Amino acid sequence: MWYYILAIVAFLVDQGTKWIIAKQLELGQEIPVIGNFFLITSSRNRGAAFGILPNQRWFFIIVTVVVVIAIIWYMQKVRKTSARKLLPAALSLVLGGAIGNFLDRALNGEVVDFLMFNFGSYTFPIFNIADSCIVVGVALIILDSLFDLNQTTKEEGSKEGNEIV
């Protein structure tokens, strides 16, 4: 059950920060946090990550519904059949982030973004807490897969070493 609580916390933090940004800042307003490197800014995104596929609201809504259903199904399966703890936690972060951006798109047709990083003259695409949860969740899924692959390789190696020739 704590995996769903983690997803709800990620969702609530995302929605809370987006609400604060939307209510307190004018669109395009910037607040420096660490000089020109890290700024809080009010931005809107009608596309996917990095603004790709703009104005495809219904496509994203449908894809997100399918992804959310798949994540919930897989979380239930993994939770019941595995002692692995990292994978369900990672899926929880992805779930909370996906639902956070889904709600924005469904209600407003756009996502509130506000975390801006500049690297010299390059500005990384502005993002939000939901995006961060999704990225961290996917990174943890990859890490869990690597751990699982390593464990499987070790188990296969020990089985081969114990075979009688």
Side-chain angles (χ1 to χ4, degrees):
M1 187 67 184
W2 77 269
Y3 301 115
Y4 293 109
I5 293 170
L6 178 58
I8 291 168
V9 168
F11 169 77
L12 291 175
V13 169
D14 173 64
Q15 290 300 295
T17 54
K18 289 174 180 175
W19 182 82
I20 290 168
I21 295 301
K23 294 296 179 196
Q24 298 297 318
L25 298 179
E26 296 292 325
L27 193 60
Q29 183 180 350
E30 297 178 352
I31 300 172
V33 177
I34 303 174
N36 193 41
F37 170 68
F38 172 46
L39 300 101
I40 302 293
T41 186
S42 181
S43 178
R44 303 299 180 273
N45 181 357
R46 293 184 164 271
F50 312 120
I52 61 173
L53 299 173
N55 300 314
Q56 300 297 317
R57 178 181 186 183
W58 290 107
F59 170 75
F60 292 124
I61 288 173
I62 291 166
V63 167
T64 304
V65 167
V66 170
V67 167
V68 165
I69 290 168
I71 289 172
I72 291 170
W73 173 82
Y74 194 65
M75 279 177 61
Q76 289 299 110
K77 180 180 175 188
V78 169
R79 189 176 63 87
K80 291 177 183 176
T81 62
S82 175
R84 294 161 60 186
K85 304 290 184 208
L86 184 58
L87 183 58
L91 290 168
S92 297
L93 290 172
V94 174
L95 179 63
I99 293 173
N101 280 343
F102 169 82
L103 185 64
D104 285 358
R105 280 194 188 94
L107 296 178
N108 306 316
E110 61 189 12
V111 174
V112 175
D113 287 333
F114 58 92
L115 300 169
M116 180 174 160
F117 288 87
N118 295 304
F119 301 92
S121 62
Y122 174 73
T123 299
F124 191 80
I126 303 168
F127 59 100
N128 59 42
I129 300 297
D131 299 333
S132 300
C133 289
I134 293 168
V135 168
V136 170
V138 169
L140 291 174
I141 290 168
I142 293 168
L143 186 62
D144 180 78
S145 298
L146 293 173
F147 286 151
D148 189 49
L149 179 63
N150 188 33
Q151 184 65 31
T152 303
T153 304
K154 283 182 182 178
E155 288 172 4
E156 288 174 358
S158 69
K159 286 179 186 176
E160 289 175 8
N162 292 332
E163 290 179 359
I164 299 175
V165 182

